[in-house]
Amino acid sequence: MSDLRIAVLGVGVMGADHVARITSRISGARVSVVNDYFTQKAEQIAAEIPGCRAVADPLDAIADSEVDAVLLATPGPTHHSQLLACLEHHKPVLCEKPLTTGIDSSLDIVRREADLGVELIQVGFMRRFDHEYAQLKTLIDGGALGTPLLMHCVHRNPQVPPSFDSSMIVRDSLVHEVDVTRFLFGEEITSIQIIKPAANPKAPQGLQDPQIAVLSTAGGKHVDVELFVTTGVAYEVRTEVVGELGSAMIGLDVGLVRKNAPGHWGGQLTPGFRERFGQAYDTEVQRWVNAVRTGSSRGSYIDGPSAWDGYASTAVCEAGVRSLETGQAEPVELAQRVSVRA
Ligand code: ISE
């Protein structure tokens, strides 16, 4: 079978990372086309990869006859039209979160994919592919914790770009815990409240940081998340699940512990999400490539979070942004579940 030819749209931090990943670590695939709003950046990257071209228009890149599948790492507001183009051309797509930036547009994508009768859209919630999250999921599903009851999460970033506003802490950062909750507990989230503690004096003026999110699930489980994106320290993502038979925690960041004179001990903190979740991104992309290459025989071109997962997370985050304004717990209302009709 020949290599899958992938178009990577958006070659900023994450997209460029994926280009490097596909080119050097993923088997059975290569990058045939790159596209970016900054055409020079795309041309520069294309020049470094044998057999790769820069295509200036994102929709042309999707339609290109030398493209079998698409990896979207473009800004969220462009996703709706780009996903529609992927569906129109029947091109499997791995879409970095968010699926789209609105509930209606996300549901539109879910319904149009369902009408085609084939799963073409996978959403890039990479934590599901991290070894530690996978272990936690196996532990919960195997019943080792009994009935899971609570989850406590910490999500700290050393810094965020200057354009980051308070609602992005919900849409861009908390969205991962939203997906983790749905993944680990297998339940939809029914309400969300954002609590606003005193802001970090070192945070940019007007940025509500830290935030505490409180989520409830359909089965009455409670999840709390500390979001703190201007710690100035390191990247810290911890998740603790508490059940009737005990608890389990991941993300302790304890790699090598060194002891040295005079009387010190310590280790290395993880600087950012690309380092912390590097293995997860590799596994996610390799499994997606494998799924796309074998898709025609299975009637599905995904192996991971679906368009529905993208829609559900958008709906929770939109309610979260409402709660940021009202201070109240906001209900999450999801449409009737739509699944792909084969
Ligand atoms: C970023 O977009 C990510 O997806 C990271 O995983 C998250 O930790 C960070 O807060 C976001 O800004």
Side-chain angles (χ1 to χ4, degrees):
M1 199 185 280
S2 49
D3 278 352
L4 187 75
R5 297 165 304 175
I6 300 175
V8 178
L9 272 58
V11 286
V13 175
M14 219 41 247
D17 214 47
H18 283 313
V19 170
R21 163 172 300 105
I22 294 165
T23 306
S24 59
R25 295 196 289 287
I26 300 300
S27 61
R30 67 182 179 87
V31 180
S32 57
V33 163
V34 286
N35 158 270
D36 199 276
Y37 176 78
F38 297 104
T39 45
Q40 262 187 317
K41 179 81 197 286
E43 278 158 14
Q44 184 196 330
I45 289 193
E48 290 163 6
I49 301 168
C52 180
R53 286 179 288 122
V55 171
D57 184 289
L59 301 185
D60 289 345
I62 292 168
D64 197 287
S65 62
E66 290 180 353
V67 167
D68 305 313
V70 178
L71 197 160
L72 280 192
T74 42
T78 64
H79 286 184
H80 186 240
S81 61
Q82 293 169 358
L83 287 169
L84 286 180
C86 291
L87 292 177
E88 182 192 338
H89 295 283
H90 286 242
K91 302 242 168 133
V93 52
L94 176 58
C95 175
E96 281 296 350
K97 50 88 181 165
L99 180 67
T100 72
T101 47
I103 302 177
D104 293 343
S105 54
S106 283
L107 189 57
D108 179 49
I109 293 296
V110 168
R111 290 187 169 144
R112 285 176 188 250
E113 186 197 47
D115 288 343
L116 284 181
V118 58
E119 287 180 313
L120 289 172
I121 300 171
Q122 178 166 333
V123 181
F125 288 124
M126 76 298 186
R127 288 193 191 177
R128 295 189 184 207
F129 300 90
D130 172 67
H131 289 328
E132 287 190 326
Y133 278 104
Q135 259 183 299
L136 191 53
K137 171 86 175 143
T138 304
L139 202 69
I140 294 170
D141 289 354
L145 298 180
T147 304
L149 303 167
L150 310 168
M151 182 156 70
H152 307 296
C153 307
V154 169
H155 187 157
R156 297 189 192 139
N157 291 193
Q159 75 275 316
V160 281
S163 58
F164 222 80
D165 65 22
S166 304
S167 71
M168 288 175 76
I169 296 179
V170 176
R171 291 193 174 106
D172 226 57
S173 304
L174 176 63
V175 65
H176 286 293
E177 275 77 16
V178 166
D179 185 63
V180 160
T181 300
R182 298 181 63 256
F183 172 60
L184 292 179
F185 288 165
E187 292 176 12
E188 294 296 357
I189 293 163
T190 51
S191 87
I192 175 168
Q193 181 171 18
I194 305 290
I195 296 165
K196 300 186 265 187
N200 178 14
K202 292 207 170 61
Q205 185 71 24
L207 185 69
Q208 177 53 57
D209 185 48
Q211 301 178 13
I212 306 292
V214 179
L215 313 175
S216 307
T217 70
K221 296 181 175 46
H222 161 102
V223 177
D224 51 75
V225 187
E226 174 206 309
L227 296 139
F228 189 1
V229 301
T230 58
T231 65
V233 179
Y235 189 71
E236 296 171 78
V237 167
R238 287 197 285 281
T239 306
E240 181 182 27
V241 174
V242 186
E244 63 174 329
L245 300 179
S247 63
M249 188 190 274
I250 59 169
L252 289 175
D253 222 359
V254 185
L256 179 116
V257 176
R258 183 173 165 204
K259 299 185 178 181
N260 60 309
H264 291 299
W265 71 272
Q268 208 64 36
L269 288 169
T270 307
F273 56 86
R274 282 186 297 154
E275 293 81 2
R276 166 67 181 84
F277 290 112
Q279 165 272 314
Y281 285 119
D282 285 356
T283 306
E284 172 190 57
V285 175
Q286 185 65 68
R287 279 179 47 183
W288 173 65
V289 164
N290 298 346
V292 172
R293 295 181 85 206
T294 56
S296 60
S297 59
R298 295 180 303 109
S300 167
Y301 294 81
I302 73 171
D303 178 10
S306 64
W308 177 264
D309 295 314
Y311 158 71
S313 66
T314 301
V316 175
C317 291
E318 288 313 298
V321 172
R322 276 203 309 280
S323 173
L324 199 54
E325 286 157 16
T326 64
Q328 309 295 314
E330 295 288 338
V332 178
E333 271 140 31
L334 294 181
Q336 185 75 21
R337 176 132 199 186
V338 185
S339 38
V340 171
R341 293 181 289 276

